[in-house]
Amino acid sequence: MTIIDNAVYVGGHRAAHPDSLEQTFETLEALGGSMAWIGLYRPTPDEMAQVAHEFRLHDLAVEDAVHAHQRPKAERYGEILFTVLRPARYDDATETVEFGELHIFTGPNFVVTVRHAETAGVGEVRKRLETEPDLLACGPQAVLYALLDRVVDDYSPVVGGLENDIDEIEDELFQGSPAVSRRIYELTREVIQFQRAIHPLRHLIEGLERGFEKYHVDLELQRNLRDVRDHVEQVISRADAFRDILQNALVLDGTLTASRQNETALAQNEQVKRISSWAAIFFAPALVTGIYGMNFKNMPELEWQYGYPYGLALMVVAGFVLWLIFKWRKWL
């Protein structure tokens, strides 16, 4: 089994570091007032079944933890609370948002965390809580709230990265970049995924707040959770604003693209007009030449002394008249 960390705490201090789950269960029973915190990474169904059997975890929650791909939620099965969180990380190299999945089982005297992504957040939260034994002494609830706080705090760099991408898109819009439409679409999809990760947290936290009195949550933890709720509301507000901006950007991009296409069409029409005008002007002399080149005997002008200059003059006048007409119609 991929056990990231396995410890038993008494009074907020690490009292034992068992080498196996069996030792963890035995130590937990031997030490009164203790709490076990087991961190797992992508456990198999059989491995998860061992933990579920010892702590009497509900089958539906265990199935969700094994197969993952869940939205953030908090479900209570008797004394055990099953929580799903979606940590996020902004990758500067690819300018994309990477999402993980964290499942947390909190019972009367244990915490089981199941990760499905390579994130250091859980380990860092454990280290921070171990330096604050008074807070860790509050039990599994303190671990849950600390993990929730860390996940929400990690959303801030994601918001910053998305905001920077949107600023770049706004610059590209008016530069006529052909790739901006695709980038707007891809960024909109990431913002939607981000919204799916953060919007359920509002109801999740409200549910935890409703259980403050029933589950005798420590006053300091209550304050911490309210602070997390404020941060969640700020992140939700900014993410919603990002989506509105991107939708407006997509509409604007369509308008600008249509405008550029119209300008191109108008320019092409002007070129067609010019070509057609000159073609008509040169057609007039060709018409006169064609008529007098048919060599019929009974053409009256053929024997006329002034026929040649008349023909030339007719060609020039016809072309000039056509030029004046097209100039007046602004085709030339």
Side-chain angles (χ1 to χ4, degrees), residues 19 24 90 149 169 192 262 278 301:
D19 296 327
T24 303
Y90 184 81
D149 181 51
I169 284 177
I192 292 174
N262 289 336
W278 286 111
E301 292 86 357

Side-chain angles (χ1 to χ4, degrees), residues 265-281 322 326-327 329-332:
L266 289 174
Q268 290 175 344
N269 289 338
E270 292 299 321
Q271 293 295 331
V272 170
K273 288 178 181 179
R274 290 189 179 91
I275 294 172
S276 300
S277 299
W278 286 111
I281 292 171
L322 289 174
F326 292 133
K327 196 71 173 177
R329 294 178 63 90
K330 297 182 179 179
W331 282 33
L332 290 174

Side-chain angles (χ1 to χ4, degrees), residues 35-295:
M35 176 193 74
W37 183 353
I38 303 170
L40 305 177
Y41 177 69
R42 292 181 179 176
T44 66
D46 292 339
E47 293 168 345
M48 196 66 203
Q50 183 181 357
V51 179
H53 174 73
E54 183 64 31
F55 292 123
R56 298 180 182 178
L57 306 180
H58 197 278
D59 293 342
L60 292 177
V62 172
E63 183 180 355
D64 288 346
V66 171
H67 298 291
H69 303 295
Q70 303 295 315
R71 297 189 66 180
K73 61 181 180 179
E75 297 176 342
R76 186 169 289 279
Y77 300 92
E79 294 184 333
I80 299 173
L81 180 65
F82 175 59
T83 308
V84 179
L85 302 176
R86 295 298 305 274
R89 184 180 73 89
Y90 184 81
D91 189 346
D92 290 317
T94 60
E95 294 186 338
T96 57
V97 181
E98 297 179 354
F99 295 92
E101 193 162 338
L102 176 62
H103 297 211
I104 309 167
F105 294 90
T106 49
N109 62 345
F110 69 87
V111 177
V112 177
T113 57
V114 181
R115 293 195 289 112
H116 289 273
E118 294 284 353
T119 57
V122 177
E124 292 177 358
V125 169
R126 186 190 289 263
K127 292 178 181 179
R128 181 176 70 84
L129 287 177
E130 288 180 350
T131 63
E132 303 178 40
D134 292 339
L135 181 60
L136 188 55
C138 295
Q141 294 172 343
V143 177
L144 173 61
Y145 294 171
L147 290 171
L148 180 58
D149 181 51
R150 173 56 187 263
V151 169
V152 174
D153 284 345
D154 286 345
Y155 288 153
S156 294
V158 176
V159 170
L162 292 174
E163 187 173 27
N164 183 66
D165 289 344
I166 291 175
D167 290 340
E168 292 177 355
I169 284 177
E170 291 176 341
D171 294 336
E172 293 175 2
L173 271 174
F174 296 98
Q175 294 174 359
S177 173
V180 68
S181 298
R182 182 180 182 85
R183 191 175 184 192
I184 291 174
Y185 171 77
E186 292 176 347
L187 190 56
T188 300
R189 184 175 58 184
E190 290 189 357
V191 170
I192 292 174
Q193 291 178 339
F194 189 46
Q195 287 179 310
R196 289 174 179 170
I198 60 177
H199 271 278
L201 293 180
R202 176 185 288 156
H203 302 293
L204 187 154
I205 293 175
E206 289 175 354
L208 294 177
E209 290 178 336
R210 287 193 295 269
F212 280 168
E213 294 184 5
K214 181 177 180 179
Y215 297 101
H216 310 292
V217 178
D218 182 80
L219 182 59
E220 189 62 28
L221 292 180
Q222 295 183 29
R223 293 170 179 165
N224 291 343
L225 188 62
R226 292 191 181 99
D227 182 63
V228 173
R229 181 188 60 190
D230 293 339
H231 291 170
V232 167
E233 292 296 337
Q234 293 174 8
V235 173
I236 289 176
S237 176
R238 296 187 69 181
D240 291 346
F242 289 163
R243 188 169 181 180
D244 292 338
I245 292 172
L246 288 171
Q247 288 177 341
N248 292 335
L250 195 59
V251 172
L252 178 60
D253 178 60
T255 302
L256 292 175
T257 300
S259 177
R260 286 191 290 267
Q261 290 175 345
N262 289 336
E263 291 175 358
T264 302
L266 289 174
Q268 290 175 344
N269 289 338
E270 292 299 321
Q271 293 295 331
V272 170
K273 288 178 181 179
R274 290 189 179 91
I275 294 172
S276 300
S277 299
W278 286 111
I281 292 171
F282 286 110
F283 175 74
L287 178 63
V288 175
T289 304
I291 292 174
Y292 286 100
M294 291 187 292
N295 296 322

